[in-house]
């Protein structure tokens, strides 16, 4: 029986999906091979950034019933279906219950069962992922031997015979026949602006000991040093900002209580710093609507379909010899029509015939306002603050109406539901280079802001914190930072028709997760793969959105333009060639993450089978030659 060495570099959720598919597909193989499976990651296996050591006030941004790590009958072309528990089923079966808005391990005690629409603590997601990992290890076939390396990978050298020589950070080296790269989120080297801010902090340290600049938030444990006497400015009002706010308020013993009218009130502990928030757009991300679709429910596109995309590609190929699409000119009008359709059908409580449907001018104007969110001309900061508070209150009201019954959230939620159609249009340079750049830099922020926002509870908490004076808007839209050496603080400035408005802070935090650019990533592993030509950045023409270049089979493209067929890359490392790779699998919707993992593992087995056939043929030919002689 032959032995095959396989390595998974990065045991975060994508690596876990590879392990699950290896386990499932091996069981239906002829089991003629022994696998030596090397798992490489210094972190807790399965968890990645979703560490189980986080505080309970840090929440998963997806409801409990819509997270799983297992396949189901909806999943196609990924190997055998091996059902397993979703995080909701796991939590319920393992004795977690909901008590006073907290999720506690209470065993078999009678208590409120966890609601399917609950936003669970991120700690529980980490525990679930660890449980999934243990389940996979416990169910492995005896022919699969696990070797764990609690180390970072340092390099892969591809040999002429197809072998891959893997070097770990501690210097240990071994060879592998096949390698899956699922390294998850990374961290970039500081930008020139970052270096300027860091230098400023160093230079004013003697006059302002509270001064600090935090550029990459991979977790929120690093905030414990922030004094309650400090003023903290947070750049960005998206999902990461809500984690920071939670850490600086609830994480410091502040409490939210519910008023009789259902709104929240914040009771400060006195340990909070004063928090300023601002962003390019100026307003917070819109809340997600209360889920009314269950675990599996998805709106099915009527207009923005794969068939419509195919027709556009064919026409472009015929008319200009290139099937790439222009998002603004060709796809956006269809997306806006889809949104108009859902908006009108939700209001009228009936689904109209799509063949006869034409959006009214009023509906189209409404959808443009929802989508683009153009702000009115605001005279001064006070006018902006009033507008922002009203916006937040209205958004909360819309979210509480739900993502089916509420026209606004039903409309914006389709962007999540038809994400596979967006991927179909964008993946593998599906847009022209110019359009791809515009899509990533202008339209993705819009879609994230209106459709991928926080749970409504986070918006309610933000409103309570604004009312309590713990948080303020640092400025209006298009805020910019200036370094004030006289006060040793960061100035945040925006312009209004009445003039500029300035606030100042001791600490500036960039509340963004770094986009993965191979040439900027701090990882020696990525740097070495680039240096030896095993990988190269993905380019669509002259545009580099992010990520590495891969084939349609997820093989990295090396410096010579060839597929490295012994390697597969999935997840955040290929964000660029693929679109929106960082969501966890969802049950009942033919999850892309599970499909990708399954297709890669199926190809692994096909390669091994082909290798066995070729090897057997060579043996047979040699024997026939000997007999002839």
């Amino acid at each position: 029986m032959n032995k095959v060495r396989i390595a998974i570099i990065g045991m975060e959720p994508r690596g876990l999906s590879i392990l699950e598919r290896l386990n499932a597909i091996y069981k239906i193989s002829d089991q003629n091979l022994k696998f030596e499976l090397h798992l490489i990651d210094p972190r807790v296996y399965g968890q990645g950034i979703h560490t189980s050591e986080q505080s309970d006030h840090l929440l998963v941004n997806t409801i409990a019933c819509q997270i799983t790590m297992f396949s189901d009958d909806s999943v196609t072309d990924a190997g055998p279906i091996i059902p397993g528990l979703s995080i909701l089923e796991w939590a319920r079966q393992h004795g977690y219950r909901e008590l006073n808005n907290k999720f506690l391990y209470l065993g078999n005690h009678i208590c409120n069962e966890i609601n399917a629409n609950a936003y669970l603590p991120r700690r529980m997601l980490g525990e679930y992922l660890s449980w999934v990992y243990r389940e996979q290890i416990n169910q492995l076939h005896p022919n699969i031997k696990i070797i764990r390396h609690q180390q970072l990978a340092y390099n892969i050298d591809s040999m002429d015979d197809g072998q891959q020589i893997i070097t770990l950070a501690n210097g240990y080296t071994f060879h592998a026949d096949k390698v899956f790269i699922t390294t998850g989120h990374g961290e970039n080297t500081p930008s020139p602006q970052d270096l300027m801010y860091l230098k400023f902090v160093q230079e004013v340290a003697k006059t302002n000991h509270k001064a600090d600049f935090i550029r990459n938030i991979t977790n929120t444990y690093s905030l414990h040093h922030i004094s309650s006497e400090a003023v903290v400015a947070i750049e960005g009002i998206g999902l990461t900002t809500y984690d920071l706010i939670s850490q600086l308020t609830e994480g410091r013993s502040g409490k939210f209580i519910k008023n009789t009218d259902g709104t929240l009130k914040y009771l400060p502990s006195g340990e909070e710093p004063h928090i300023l928030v601002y962003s390019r757009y100026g307003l917070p991300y819109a809340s997600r609507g209360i889920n009314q679709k269950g675990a599996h429910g998805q709106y099915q596109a009527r207009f923005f379909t794969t068939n419509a995309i195919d027709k556009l590609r064919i026409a472009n190929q015929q008319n200009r010899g290139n099937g790439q699409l222009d998002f603004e000119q060709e796809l956006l009008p269809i997306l806006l029509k889809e949104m108009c359709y859902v908006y009108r059908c939700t209001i009228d409580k009936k689904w109209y015939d799509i063949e006869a449907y034409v959006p009214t001018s009023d509906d189209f104007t409404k959808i443009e306002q929802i989508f683009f969110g153009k702000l009115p001309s605001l005279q001064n900061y006070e006018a902006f603050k009033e507008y922002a508070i009203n916006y937040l209150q209205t958004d909360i009201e819309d979210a509480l109406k739900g993502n089916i019954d509420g026209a606004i959230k039903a409309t914006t939620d389709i962007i999540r539901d038809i994400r596979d159609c967006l991927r179909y249009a964008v993946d593998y340079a599906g847009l022209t280079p110019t359009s791809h750049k515009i899509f990533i830099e202008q339209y993705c922020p819009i879609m994230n802001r209106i459709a991928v926002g926080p749970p409504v509870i986070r918006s309610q908490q933000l409103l309570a914190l604004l009312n309590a004076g713990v948080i303020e808007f640092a400025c209006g839209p298009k805020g910019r930072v200036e370094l004030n050496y006289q006060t040793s603080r960061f100035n945040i400035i925006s312009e209004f028709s009445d003039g500029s408005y300035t606030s100042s802070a001791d600490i500036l935090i960039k509340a963004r997760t770094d986009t993965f650019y191979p040439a900027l990533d701090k990882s020696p592993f990525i740097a070495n793969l680039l240096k030896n030509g095993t990988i190269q950045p993905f380019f669509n023409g002259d545009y580099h959105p992010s990520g590495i270049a891969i084939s349609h089979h997820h093989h990295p493209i090396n410096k010579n333009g060839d597929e490295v067929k012994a390697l597969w890359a999935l997840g955040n490392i290929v964000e660029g060639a693929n679109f929106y790779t960082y969501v966890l699998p969802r049950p009942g919707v033919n999850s892309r993450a599970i499909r990708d993992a399954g297709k890669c593992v199926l190809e692994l087995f096909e390669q091994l089978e082909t290798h066995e056939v070729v090897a057997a043929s060579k043996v047979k030919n040699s024997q026939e030659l000997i007999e002839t002689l």
Side-chain angles (χ1 to χ4, degrees):
M1 184 178 289
N2 296 322
K3 180 173 72 173
V4 179
R5 286 187 173 183
I6 301 170
I8 304 176
I9 301 177
M11 278 306 298
E12 47 86 59
R14 284 298 186 126
L16 194 55
S17 288
I18 294 295
L19 176 62
E20 188 274 333
R21 290 290 83 198
L22 274 169
N23 202 2
I25 294 170
Y26 188 88
K27 292 175 180 177
I28 62 166
S29 71
D30 60 14
Q31 299 173 9
N32 190 40
L33 296 171
K34 282 189 175 182
F35 282 180
E36 186 176 280
L37 185 55
H38 293 255
L39 308 181
I40 304 168
D41 200 316
R43 302 166 295 185
V44 177
Y45 285 176
Q47 294 186 8
I49 62 172
H50 309 288
T51 170
S52 57
E53 296 178 356
Q54 296 179 77
S55 300
D56 275 10
H57 55 78
L58 298 173
L59 306 179
V60 181
N61 200 50
T62 303
I63 56 175
C65 67
Q66 293 184 357
I67 297 175
T68 189
M69 290 302 298
F70 295 96
S71 58
D72 54 45
D73 290 340
S74 71
V75 178
T76 60
D77 304 320
I81 304 303
I82 308 292
L85 302 180
S86 70
I87 190 173
L88 175 65
E89 295 164 334
W90 165 83
R92 287 174 173 175
Q93 286 192 20
H94 284 74
Y96 275 102
R97 298 293 182 266
E98 189 171 355
L99 180 65
N100 297 328
N101 297 319
K102 295 185 182 297
F103 301 93
L104 306 171
Y105 176 74
L106 297 174
N108 294 322
H109 292 292
I110 296 174
C111 195
N112 292 338
E113 191 169 63
I114 292 176
N115 189 291
N117 288 339
Y119 289 91
L120 299 176
R122 207 171 297 156
R123 167 188 62 81
M124 288 178 63
L125 174 57
E127 292 177 8
Y128 169 69
L129 294 171
S130 287
W131 172 81
V132 173
Y133 168 74
R134 292 191 300 271
E135 285 291 295
Q136 294 307 309
I137 296 300
N138 292 337
Q139 294 173 16
L140 285 177
H141 190 278
N143 287 344
I144 303 178
K145 177 184 177 183
I146 293 291
I147 299 177
R148 299 172 179 85
H149 302 276
Q150 298 281 165
Q151 290 283 328
L152 287 168
Y154 183 74
N155 198 11
I156 302 174
D157 287 304
S158 297
M159 301 292 101
D160 292 340
D161 63 357
Q163 289 287 301
Q164 308 299 312
I165 306 301
I166 298 176
T167 303
L168 304 183
N170 63 356
Y172 179 73
T173 298
F174 64 96
H175 81 267
D177 300 291
K178 309 293 179 183
V179 182
F180 295 91
I181 305 173
T182 53
T183 45
H185 290 281
E187 181 180 353
N188 294 339
T189 55
S191 68
Q193 184 188 67
D194 295 336
L195 293 172
M196 180 177 67
Y197 291 164
L198 290 167
K199 181 182 177 183
F200 170 73
V201 168
Q202 291 175 344
E203 291 174 342
V204 303
K206 290 183 179 180
T207 53
N208 183 0
H209 68 276
K210 300 187 293 289
D212 197 5
F213 170 62
I214 303 172
R215 61 162 299 278
N216 185 52
I217 298 295
T218 53
N219 60 59
T220 51
Y221 303 123
S222 58
L223 304 183
H224 69 274
H225 68 283
I226 294 177
S227 167
S228 60
E229 298 176 356
V231 178
V232 179
I234 302 176
E235 180 181 291
I237 321 180
L239 300 180
T240 303
T241 293
Y242 287 97
D243 286 345
L244 297 173
I245 289 172
S246 182
Q247 188 72 358
L248 294 171
T249 54
E250 286 185 289
R252 298 196 173 194
S253 302
K255 303 292 182 185
F256 291 98
I257 60 172
K258 185 170 286 189
N259 296 317
T260 55
D261 62 358
T263 61
L264 297 182
K265 180 180 180 180
Y266 183 70
L267 303 179
S269 68
E271 296 299 315
E272 305 91 344
H274 189 60
I275 304 169
L276 306 174
V277 295
Y278 72 102
S279 69
R280 177 175 51 189
Y281 179 59
L283 299 177
Y285 270 28
S287 313
R288 292 195 186 188
I290 297 296
N291 179 54
Q292 298 169 319
K293 299 179 180 180
H296 310 154
Q298 277 188 321
Y299 170 78
Q300 300 301 310
R302 271 67 162 182
F303 307 101
F304 199 96
T305 62
T306 56
N307 186 49
I309 293 166
D310 284 340
K311 288 181 179 178
L312 289 171
R313 286 204 193 286
I314 292 169
N316 287 351
Q317 188 69 46
Q318 293 173 343
N319 296 332
R320 60 182 189 229
N322 187 323
Q324 288 182 306
L325 304 174
D326 184 307
F327 180 79
E328 280 189 303
Q329 298 300 316
E330 297 174 304
L331 297 174
L332 181 60
I334 307 175
L335 178 60
L336 294 178
K337 180 179 181 180
E338 194 85 61
M339 295 175 71
C340 284
Y341 178 75
V342 173
Y343 177 75
R344 177 45 52 195
C345 292
T346 303
I347 288 177
D348 292 351
K349 295 182 172 23
K350 59 184 291 189
W351 294 103
Y352 289 102
D353 177 11
I354 60 173
E355 300 298 331
Y357 174 74
V358 177
T360 66
S361 59
D362 286 347
D363 283 357
F364 195 78
T365 299
K366 179 66 175 179
I367 294 307
E368 282 194 313
Q369 177 56 33
I370 293 171
F371 189 85
F372 293 103
K374 185 178 180 181
L375 303 183
S377 177
L378 297 166
Q379 193 170 8
N380 51 43
Y381 172 78
E382 292 301 321
F384 166 75
K385 186 167 70 171
E386 181 181 357
Y387 180 88
I389 294 293
N390 289 335
Y391 161 86
L392 193 55
Q393 291 172 330
T394 301
D395 179 65
I396 291 169
E397 292 170 3
D398 287 334
L400 293 175
K401 294 175 184 176
N403 61 7
I404 289 181
D405 296 338
I408 301 298
K409 298 305 177 181
T411 300
T412 56
D413 201 54
I414 71 163
I415 293 173
R416 294 178 64 238
D417 288 343
I418 66 170
R419 192 175 284 149
D420 273 351
C421 294
L422 282 166
R423 290 184 177 119
Y424 187 76
V426 175
D427 279 1
Y428 301 106
L431 304 179
T432 67
T434 299
S435 182
H436 198 172
K437 179 179 174 66
I438 291 170
F439 173 75
I440 294 296
E441 297 180 5
Q442 296 182 26
Y443 287 98
C444 284
I446 289 173
M447 291 189 287
N448 287 340
R449 175 174 53 80
I450 67 173
V452 196
V456 66
I457 184 63
R458 289 303 199 204
S459 295
Q460 292 169 320
Q461 290 173 347
L462 176 59
L463 184 59
L465 289 164
L466 287 163
N467 290 333
V470 175
I471 291 181
E472 289 184 279
F473 290 103
C475 58
K478 300 178 181 178
R480 68 181 190 277
V481 175
E482 291 186 358
L483 307 179
N484 190 328
Y485 279 89
Q486 290 183 330
T487 63
S488 301
R489 303 179 97 192
F490 296 94
N491 284 353
I492 299 94
I493 306 167
S494 63
E495 304 296 331
F496 296 98
S497 55
D498 278 359
S500 62
Y501 179 84
T502 302
S503 59
S504 62
D506 304 296
I507 299 169
L508 177 64
I509 303 177
K510 281 191 174 180
R512 293 186 180 91
T513 303
D514 283 343
T515 299
F516 174 68
Y517 296 112
L520 298 179
D521 194 81
K522 291 175 69 174
S523 163
F525 176 62
I526 298 299
N528 288 329
L529 294 185
L530 278 174
K531 184 178 179 180
N532 65 28
T534 302
I535 63 172
Q536 62 175 328
F538 167 72
F539 276 88
N540 180 3
D542 60 356
Y543 175 56
H544 175 45
S546 60
I548 67 169
I550 56 169
S551 70
H552 283 67
H553 296 285
H554 278 266
H555 299 302
I557 306 296
N558 66 19
K559 64 181 179 181
N560 299 321
D562 300 322
E563 288 183 272
V564 186
K565 292 191 175 181
L567 306 181
W568 290 265
L570 300 94
N572 193 56
I573 193 172
V574 302
E575 180 69 30
N578 288 173
F579 174 61
Y580 227 89
T581 60
Y582 24 73
V583 291
L584 292 167
R586 176 180 170 183
V589 298
N590 195 16
S591 170
R592 171 72 179 270
I594 296 175
R595 277 186 287 139
D596 283 349
K599 287 176 181 178
C600 292
V601 176
L602 284 169
E603 192 198 3
L604 163 71
F605 279 86
E606 289 171 6
Q607 288 184 9
L608 296 176
E609 183 179 344
T610 300
H611 177 79
E612 288 289 294
V613 170
V614 171
S617 177
K618 287 181 178 179
V619 170
K620 180 180 179 182
N621 291 340
S622 298
Q623 290 173 340
E624 290 175 349
L625 179 60
I626 292 170
E627 291 172 0
T628 301
L629 293 174

